[in-house]
Amino acid sequence: MAFIKRVRRYWLTCVTLIILLAGLTYSSCSKGGKFLSYEPTLDEQNFVSTSENNRTAEVSLDEVLTELDSLQSSGGMSEPLFARLKSELRKQLTQMAVERFVEKAPGGEDNQVTDLQINDRGGGSYLLTWSYRNNGDYNQDGTVNIGDVLPLAQHFHESVSTENEWIDGSGDRVINIVDVSALARNFFSQCKEYVIRSGPNQNGPFDTEIGVIDMALAGGEGRKRFEFNASGLIPSQWAIVVPRDGAGNEGIQSLPAMVPIAQNQRPNAILNAIPLTGDAPLNVDFDASESSDPDGTITQYRWDFEGDATFDETSSLPTIQHEYVMPGEYRATVEVTDDRGATDTASILITVTGAPPQNQPPVAVLTASPVEGFEPLYVDFNAGGSTDPDGTIVEYRWDYEGDGTFDETTLLPSANFEYTVPGTFNATVEVSDDKGATDSDSVEIRVNAKEPAVINSVSPLSGMEGISVKITADVSGTPPFNYNFSFSGGTEPLTGSGSSVDVVEFEVLLVTAGTYSLSLTVSNMFGESRRVFDFIISPAGDEWSVYTVPAGDVVAQYSSLAVVGGKPAIAFYDFNSQDLFYAYSANEYGTSDWQIYVVDYKGMGLGDVGQYCSLAEIADGAGISYFEGGIDANLKFAYNSNPDGSGEWKTYRVDVSGDSGFITSLAEELGRPAIGYFRDTLADPPILDYRYAICDNSDGSGNWFVSSVSNVDSYLFAEGRVLSILDGRPAVSFYNWGTSELQFAINEAIDGTGDWDIHSTGVNVISLFVSMTSVNGLPMISYRNFDSPTGLEILVNSASDGSGGWSHYVIEPDVTAYHTAILDVNGYPAVAYSDSNNLAIKFAICDTSDGSGNWLISVVDGENSPFFPSMAMVGGRPAIAYCATDTGELKFAIRNY
């Protein structure tokens, strides 16, 4: 059975390639070079260090390769493996295009000393210890050179332990061929000695040289370590070590370490009390004034009167009084604290005799007037109804915000407070009687905000003549609102009147092409807001504007469009360079000002990275999920906190099990990145499943929780963004080749860490190029029907969580649709897709919100064999990013209304 499945998968893969090659015409052979290709810097081309006689040592690439060829393996070493390692090193050194190698001191983060420690040996002497760092120097002789291939071969395929960890140059915990890269990258770097310097604080400057220790003095088993005895250091100073070659060239400094402070001596606590015994109630005076501190002063006294390990009072004075009301023996304790935080305790036994009557607690009653109103709200509180059955109430403590902190203490039962910020507050009074017993009561105070009406946005602000559009105003403030709307072109709607809702719609018939003035005035009891907007009516038939994103000499694939920081952005894969790119427009409509950035690349011919990319705005930054191919086959995530793509792109491997990361779909869930994707375990029999991953950090740097949604048997023809947040929970849709049905799955937990509930949609045909979203809160799925001539279809569920019935509608019959993308366009479902028969990108929108009406279909681009459409709302209008496969260009189209 495993063999049959594998044959079936290989057959389907071949069919995929044939179909895609028929629909795509990549002119990759005519493309010259890579766009934004990586070029080595001057520092990367020169490896500077020195020889023993303080003169710079140089060697040509030819000499290095000759030495490499003549290098002989050690006894017991696998000759084929040794030859393979030498070949890989030869390739990498040659690709670096360095004619001459020059010795230099170790540089870069992978050579930085990170474990510098300073131990106090007493008498002003300190011992500094650290480990040797020169990544690629696998035989630890001080220089990265040809001889370092030998220990790599001797320990090849070993798991990393303390006995070989310095040979793991890649840090992947296995000694393998990847570790050749560190040897090549740091080739000819030399560490002759370390310089030790000190400075006043963690940030330096470190300009005082303490001493120098030679590489020959390193010792220890495993990774070499250094020890250096230093005197003259001052506690709380900081020190660093810096590698240096024989010519005095210095590498990157270590992480700083602080000189330890001399140990503090503890204080000595002494406690006296008068009287030590007596009948209850017994007042006892405690005195800890004889306590002392040999090297400082006592700053605090904490008192435990009952000896129950709970401190009852804290004071800065050494004397205090306490009343014991109940008979018994009490181990009274004082804890003294000196000026450097050290403590000591002393205790004394207090004996209380007799049997006084037990005190009854008071009863608190609190009223307030008013209990609700607009800020600022002045409230009168009254606790006059509080009583004490066997005494009197002597104190009232008030917590106006209900935050557990008392704001005021009074002797009278009344108080008042002014609330200046809106919110709901649990105001509380605590009453105390003459025996110290307490009771509390609370009342809820609601403070409402005085928020004037504010017009946040109006959309759309364009349309085509002859159609009717619904103009939506997003308004915030304190309801109710009154609306006054006017439009200088077309039919003016009636003035609306507001209620508790914050969104109002006006339907307008667009009559004549031109630019018109749209005015909206919104008012409430606290103010009025008026804004005027330009509204553009395009001539009939002029539906789409198409622009080329200037990405240079690329062959764009797998485009993904999203709005990031209020502007359109596109993630895409370049078939030429096999790298992942990010395009960002400074124009909110994407019509110009595109900037292009490289997000991730491998270089050195190690394989591609960036296929199946999916872009989304995550925590106000740009996030991209994608597949890393080539030698590795992993799901990766890239994040940039700058929406425009400038600055640093941080990349993380999310799932490295099997081949993970096919057809990724990224969404923001709880402010964190969540990814849906396919995985192929390459096992026998293979496991092909759909998976879900979510990070516990917004930038992807934390831990990723990964779960399997369902075994799907194949991921072929699964292009599309399917991960959606429905009913507050992550949900996905995919065609399951194993069960031959289109399925829908939703997680029980809001972050996707619960169980997945999988449901059949009732569609039991080959349903490919699936895409899912929600329109007016209802799940909608677009797909291509491969089993019948009905072509492009859509499913709509009657419940927000997909638990209702599925309705099925045909969008366009007899179309060979590829790469569908579904979107909510102002409350109506719309689908963008590739028409392979006509080599066109099409856009279909329904005239009813539930997808049951007529689908209006327009051609966005009928040239250039466009594929890989991705859709988003840009400036209140639908926009599509796609790839023109005839030219390799990245395209951006936006609807004119």
Side-chain angles (χ1 to χ4, degrees):
M1 180 61 71
F3 174 77
I4 294 175
K5 285 191 174 182
R6 177 164 294 181
V7 171
R8 177 188 178 191
R9 291 171 52 220
Y10 292 160
W11 178 85
L12 288 173
T13 303
C14 294
V15 172
T16 304
L17 294 174
I18 294 172
I19 294 176
L20 289 176
L21 289 173
L24 309 174
T25 305
Y26 297 103
S27 54
S28 59
C29 292
S30 64
K31 304 298 176 184
K34 301 180 182 178
F35 174 66
L36 294 182
S37 60
Y38 171 78
E39 293 292 341
T41 64
L42 183 60
D43 285 341
E44 291 170 318
Q45 295 180 23
N46 295 277
F47 298 79
V48 181
S49 185
T50 62
S51 61
E52 292 298 327
N53 57 7
N54 281 357
R55 291 183 302 173
T56 301
E58 296 185 5
V59 62
S60 68
L61 176 61
D62 291 340
E63 291 174 310
V64 170
L65 297 181
T66 300
E67 181 182 354
L68 177 62
D69 292 339
S70 63
L71 182 66
Q72 300 298 313
S73 63
S74 300
M77 189 180 300
S78 169
E79 289 295 340
L81 169 63
F82 189 65
R84 180 186 175 195
L85 293 174
K86 290 171 57 177
S87 174
E88 179 63 23
L89 180 57
R90 165 183 278 274
K91 180 180 71 174
Q92 294 198 27
L93 290 173
T94 303
Q95 288 177 344
M96 293 167 65
V98 179
E99 294 182 1
R100 302 194 67 81
F101 293 98
V102 183
E103 286 185 340
K104 69 171 186 179
E109 293 183 0
D110 58 352
N111 288 326
Q112 183 183 32
V113 172
T114 60
D115 60 349
L116 175 63
Q117 294 184 352
I118 306 177
N119 296 306
D120 187 357
R121 304 188 67 177
S125 176
Y126 299 90
L127 179 65
L128 283 71
T129 60
W130 67 93
S131 298
Y132 173 54
R133 297 287 175 185
N134 189 5
N135 199 5
D137 183 11
Y138 297 142
N139 60 10
Q140 299 193 89
D141 63 354
T143 303
V144 181
N145 53 27
I146 296 301
D148 294 311
V149 176
L150 290 170
L152 181 59
Q154 290 167 351
H155 295 271
F156 199 75
H157 272 179
E158 289 182 2
S159 297
V160 169
S161 66
T162 56
E163 298 179 354
N164 63 7
E165 55 85 17
W166 65 91
I167 306 175
D168 181 21
S170 66
D172 62 0
R173 308 298 297 170
V174 177
I175 311 301
N176 52 32
I177 198 167
V178 180
D179 299 314
V180 175
S181 296
L183 196 163
R185 182 174 64 252
N186 297 318
F187 193 80
F188 234 37
S189 65
Q190 181 201 50
C191 180
K192 181 181 183 297
E193 59 194 12
Y194 280 94
V195 185
I196 302 95
R197 297 193 179 101
S198 67
N201 55 57
Q202 187 173 6
N203 297 319
F206 297 99
D207 50 13
T208 301
E209 183 170 314
I210 301 172
V212 178
I213 187 167
D214 194 88
M215 176 67 187
L217 297 180
E221 296 182 359
R223 181 183 288 273
K224 289 186 176 182
R225 288 186 58 81
F226 294 88
E227 292 185 353
F228 180 80
N229 289 305
S231 60
L233 290 174
I234 301 174
S236 78
Q237 274 189 322
W238 292 74
I240 61 169
V241 295
V242 184
R244 190 163 65 186
D245 66 8
N249 300 308
E250 295 186 352
I252 188 170
Q253 71 178 37
S254 72
L255 297 182
M258 190 179 76
V259 180
I261 301 173
Q263 186 173 0
N264 180 35
Q265 298 185 52
R266 296 177 57 192
N268 180 34
I270 299 176
L271 178 62
N272 296 304
I274 299 175
L276 297 177
T277 184
D279 291 336
L282 180 65
N283 285 305
V284 179
D285 292 311
F286 294 97
D287 187 350
S289 58
E290 294 183 14
S291 304
S292 62
D293 182 35
D295 61 350
T297 58
I298 296 175
T299 59
Q300 178 180 275
Y301 301 84
R302 292 206 299 169
W303 308 89
D304 173 11
F305 300 117
E306 290 81 13
D308 57 1
T310 299
F311 290 105
D312 307 293
E313 298 282 348
T314 300
S315 68
S316 59
L317 297 176
T319 59
I320 200 168
Q321 187 181 79
H322 180 71
E323 180 184 46
Y324 291 91
V325 296
M326 297 296 294
E329 289 189 344
Y330 302 93
R331 179 63 64 177
T333 302
V334 65
E335 179 192 78
V336 299
T337 305
D338 70 10
D339 51 355
R340 290 173 67 180
T343 63
D344 189 31
T345 60
S347 300
I348 195 169
L349 183 65
I350 304 297
T351 303
V352 183
T353 58
Q358 187 173 357
N359 179 42
Q360 298 185 50
V363 177
V365 177
L366 178 63
T367 60
S369 179
V371 295
E372 184 174 6
F374 289 102
E375 43 117 359
L377 182 64
Y378 192 86
V379 180
D380 290 314
F381 294 98
N382 194 320
S386 305
T387 59
D388 182 36
D390 59 350
T392 58
I393 296 175
V394 297
E395 185 179 81
Y396 301 84
R397 297 206 297 170
W398 307 89
D399 176 8
Y400 301 117
E401 290 90 355
D403 58 3
T405 300
F406 289 106
D407 308 293
E408 188 176 6
T409 301
T410 66
L411 302 178
L412 298 176
S414 60
N416 52 67
F417 185 75
E418 183 179 34
Y419 293 88
T420 59
V421 295
T424 300
F425 305 94
N426 192 37
T428 302
V429 66
E430 181 188 82
V431 300
S432 302
D433 68 9
D434 50 354
K435 296 293 192 299
T438 62
D439 188 35
S440 61
D441 190 25
S442 301
V443 62
E444 185 176 84
I445 306 297
R446 295 182 180 178
V447 184
N448 301 320
K450 284 184 178 179
E451 296 183 355
V454 175
I455 302 171
N456 299 317
S457 64
V458 172
S459 64
L461 294 176
S462 62
M464 189 174 67
E465 63 181 358
I467 69 169
S468 180
V469 298
K470 289 183 179 179
I471 300 176
T472 301
D474 182 9
V475 178
S476 60
T478 302
F481 302 113
N482 289 319
Y483 302 91
N484 192 303
F485 176 88
S486 64
F487 183 57
S488 63
T491 303
E492 297 186 11
L494 298 176
T495 298
S497 60
S499 61
S500 61
V501 297
D502 291 340
V503 178
V504 62
E505 290 184 345
F506 302 97
E507 188 164 352
V508 178
L509 176 63
L510 307 180
V511 178
T512 306
T515 301
Y516 300 92
S517 178
L518 184 154
S519 172
L520 176 63
T521 302
V522 182
S523 61
N524 63 3
M525 61 189 299
F526 303 116
E528 177 180 282
S529 177
R530 181 176 184 272
R531 292 182 65 180
V532 177
F533 306 86
D534 285 339
F535 192 99
I536 301 174
I537 302 178
S538 303
D542 189 13
E543 184 175 351
W544 290 88
S545 295
V546 178
Y547 305 92
T548 298
V549 178
D553 187 21
V554 303
V555 174
Q557 287 185 344
Y558 302 108
S559 63
S560 181
L561 174 66
V563 174
V564 183
K567 307 290 179 59
I570 307 171
F572 65 96
Y573 169 76
D574 173 25
F575 184 76
N576 268 351
S577 65
Q578 299 184 8
D579 297 336
L580 178 63
F581 288 81
Y582 178 78
Y584 190 83
S585 175
N587 183 305
E588 63 177 327
Y589 291 103
T591 57
S592 62
D593 301 326
W594 288 90
Q595 297 294 322
I596 311 298
Y597 300 93
V598 177
V599 177
D600 197 2
Y601 66 93
K602 283 193 172 181
M604 295 191 297
L606 294 180
D608 55 26
V609 57
Q611 296 188 68
Y612 312 115
C613 54
S614 181
L615 171 67
E617 184 177 56
I618 308 292
D620 300 326
I624 307 174
S625 61
Y626 55 99
F627 175 70
E628 177 184 41
I631 295 177
D632 305 302
N634 305 317
L635 171 66
K636 295 190 74 175
F637 174 77
Y639 185 78
N640 196 319
S641 58
N642 297 324
D644 64 0
S646 63
E648 180 183 6
W649 282 92
K650 298 180 179 179
T651 62
Y652 308 96
R653 285 185 171 87
V654 178
D655 191 346
V656 298
S657 62
D659 285 356
S660 296
F662 297 107
I663 327 298
T664 74
S665 182
L666 177 66
E668 183 181 46
E669 174 69 347
L670 303 175
R672 296 177 282 153
I675 308 172
Y677 59 98
F678 290 92
R679 177 189 68 158
D680 185 348
T681 64
L682 304 178
D684 189 11
I687 299 175
L688 276 155
D689 59 347
Y690 194 86
R691 310 196 100 194
Y692 170 86
I694 186 169
C695 188
D696 57 9
N697 271 351
S698 60
D699 63 356
S701 63
N703 297 315
W704 285 85
F705 171 84
V706 178
S707 65
S708 177
V709 180
S710 175
N711 184 15
V712 295
D713 199 46
S714 177
Y715 56 84
L716 297 179
F717 298 101
E719 312 281 353
R721 187 188 296 262
V722 297
L723 177 60
S724 298
I725 308 303
L726 302 178
D727 198 35
R729 294 178 287 159
V732 296
S733 179
F734 46 81
Y735 178 70
N736 191 323
W737 290 87
T739 62
S740 300
E741 60 183 358
L742 181 59
Q743 292 183 329
F744 169 85
I746 188 168
N747 201 274
E748 294 179 350
I750 60 174
D751 61 355
T753 59
D755 294 331
W756 289 90
D757 295 328
I758 301 176
H759 307 280
S760 174
T761 62
V763 175
N764 297 102
V765 299
I766 298 180
S767 309
L768 307 178
F769 305 112
V770 179
S771 179
M772 184 172 71
T773 190
S774 65
V775 179
N776 295 320
L778 299 180
M780 294 193 179
I781 305 172
S782 62
Y783 61 96
R784 156 88 177 282
N785 186 338
F786 264 63
D787 279 8
S788 67
T790 52
L792 183 63
E793 302 177 2
I794 187 174
L795 288 172
V796 183
N797 198 275
S798 60
S800 60
D801 62 354
S803 62
W806 292 93
S807 298
H808 167 266
Y809 306 105
V810 175
I811 298 175
E812 182 180 3
D814 304 323
V815 63
T816 304
Y818 284 84
H819 315 294
T820 75
I822 191 168
L823 182 68
D824 180 348
V825 177
N826 299 320
Y828 297 91
V831 180
Y833 55 99
S834 299
D835 182 347
S836 180
N837 288 342
N838 297 296
L839 299 180
I841 291 289
K842 288 185 176 180
F843 173 83
I845 186 169
C846 191
D847 60 6
T848 61
S849 61
D850 63 355
S852 64
N854 297 316
W855 286 83
L856 308 176
I857 300 174
S858 59
V859 175
V860 179
D861 188 345
E863 300 178 355
N864 303 315
S865 301
F867 267 80
F868 306 107
S870 176
M871 192 158 48
M873 293 298 290
V874 175
R877 291 181 275 165
I880 306 171
Y882 57 95
C883 306
T885 57
D886 278 357
T887 63
E889 294 175 321
L890 181 64
K891 295 286 189 176
F892 173 81
I894 187 167
R895 203 178 186 203
N896 293 323
Y897 54 87

